[in-house]
Amino acid sequence: MRHPLQALLIAPDPLMREAVEDGRKRITLREGHRDYRPGPVMLCCQIEPWCVMADIIEVRHCRLCDLTREELEADGFIDQWQMLKQMHRFYPDLDWDSPVTIVRWENVRGKLVDERQAK
């Protein structure tokens, strides 16, 4: 049986989208242990239409306090306190003991990536 197409919502933030399209952002942190698996993923937004494809290469489950410095920096955070403050925008109940899922991807592709590269 084939695994269904996975999706990750990306906030309607132009800088974040550019970072995804350019390959500078290749990781995301999500509250809770989620059943993402290596394979194709659609990175998209339902608020302001935007969509690209990528390939999940790694999924890790841990507690928020167990994030590594490399994971924090790869997701654009300066330190744990900045990360917690910014993550509260999406997950207001998140605390240091909250379970989280870290998803890494590569090979971002699609029309928006092609158009960005053509500029």
Side-chain angles (χ1 to χ4, degrees), residues 25-66:
K25 178 174 173 58
R26 296 178 299 185
I27 188 171
T28 190
L29 168 65
R30 302 298 162 117
E31 181 182 39
H33 289 175
R34 301 188 185 201
D35 188 24
Y36 285 101
R37 301 175 188 179
V41 64
M42 181 179 290
L43 307 174
C44 54
C45 179
Q46 84 286 8
I47 299 168
E48 293 178 14
W50 175 87
C51 177
V52 295
M53 289 294 297
D55 297 310
I56 293 176
I57 58 169
E58 181 183 359
V59 179
R60 186 168 89 86
H61 301 105
C62 63
R63 293 178 308 149
L64 188 66
C65 64
D66 297 325

Side-chain angles (χ1 to χ4, degrees), residues 7-23 25 30 41-54 105 108-113 115-116:
L8 283 165
L9 294 177
I10 301 294
D13 174 341
L15 295 177
M16 188 180 301
R17 290 177 179 187
E18 286 178 18
V20 169
E21 292 170 19
D22 291 343
K25 178 174 173 58
R30 302 298 162 117
V41 64
M42 181 179 290
L43 307 174
C44 54
C45 179
Q46 84 286 8
I47 299 168
E48 293 178 14
W50 175 87
C51 177
V52 295
M53 289 294 297
W105 63 81
V108 176
R109 59 199 179 274
K111 181 179 179 184
L112 295 175
V113 175
E115 289 174 353
R116 177 168 293 286

Side-chain angles (χ1 to χ4, degrees), residues 46-115:
Q46 84 286 8
I47 299 168
E48 293 178 14
W50 175 87
C51 177
V52 295
M53 289 294 297
D55 297 310
I56 293 176
I57 58 169
E58 181 183 359
V59 179
R60 186 168 89 86
H61 301 105
C62 63
R63 293 178 308 149
L64 188 66
C65 64
D66 297 325
L67 288 174
T68 67
R69 173 157 293 290
E70 188 276 331
E71 289 167 333
L72 288 170
E73 291 173 358
D75 204 9
F77 300 115
I78 296 168
D79 59 30
Q80 290 180 321
W81 295 103
Q82 182 216 22
M83 176 269 303
L84 184 61
K85 181 179 177 183
Q86 288 189 21
M87 293 303 291
H88 276 160
R89 295 180 302 163
F90 306 109
Y91 309 114
D93 296 328
L94 194 69
D95 65 35
W96 297 118
D97 288 322
S98 294
V100 294
T101 301
I102 299 112
V103 180
R104 290 181 184 270
W105 63 81
E106 63 182 18
N107 192 26
V108 176
R109 59 199 179 274
K111 181 179 179 184
L112 295 175
V113 175
D114 295 343
E115 289 174 353

